[in-house]
Amino acid sequence: MKAMVVSGKGEGAKYVEVYSNKLKKEIGFVPYPGTLNLKVKSIPPLETLRIDAFGKFGAVEMAPCAVNRERAFAVFPEKGKHEGNVVEVIAEKNIKAVLSLEDGDFVHLQF
């Protein structure tokens, strides 16, 4: 599906760090500390992995995906969701830098 790169809330790095050990256990790597935010027309039904809530942090569901063929995971936090059809993506690398992306650029998001 076609997706547009959009600005986030600037909080992704903090949460990736908080969840890093749990993410590594579930997906096999510690993600780059930040998220890539992609606006899509709609989010299809997905089979997801789940990290249960702990402490004051809510649960997170994740689905494997690819952004222009770069391996990644779409994350859907229980708390602090984006408005509209914005998908937060985590990966081992900074996908935005690797693909030289800027806000407004379009990518191919595959689930």
Side-chain angles (χ1 to χ4, degrees):
M1 76 175 55
K2 188 175 181 180
M4 183 174 67
V5 178
V6 295
S7 291
K9 298 177 182 179
E11 298 176 349
K14 173 176 65 175
Y15 291 108
V16 169
E17 186 176 326
V18 167
Y19 287 87
S20 65
N21 289 336
K22 293 180 180 293
L23 287 166
K24 183 175 183 178
K25 183 178 175 184
E26 289 295 326
I27 63 177
F29 62 85
V30 174
Y32 170 80
T35 61
L36 175 66
N37 297 284
L38 300 174
K39 186 162 182 73
V40 296
K41 285 187 180 179
S42 64
I43 300 170
L46 302 168
E47 288 190 33
T48 59
L49 305 168
R50 181 178 171 87
I51 294 177
D52 290 326
F54 63 99
K56 65 180 181 178
F57 300 100
V60 175
E61 296 201 21
M62 302 171 292
C65 67
V67 177
N68 289 2
R69 299 191 180 177
E70 290 288 331
R71 179 178 178 238
F73 282 82
V75 294
F76 304 97
E78 185 177 80
K79 298 179 180 180
K81 293 182 180 179
H82 287 273
E83 290 183 26
N85 293 323
V86 175
V87 177
E88 284 189 88
V89 176
I90 59 172
E92 198 164 6
K93 307 175 239 176
N94 179 344
I95 293 180
K96 198 169 186 177
V98 168
L99 298 175
S100 301
L101 298 172
E102 297 181 5
D103 287 356
D105 288 346
F106 287 92
V107 296
H108 180 73
L109 175 63
Q110 183 176 3
F111 290 103

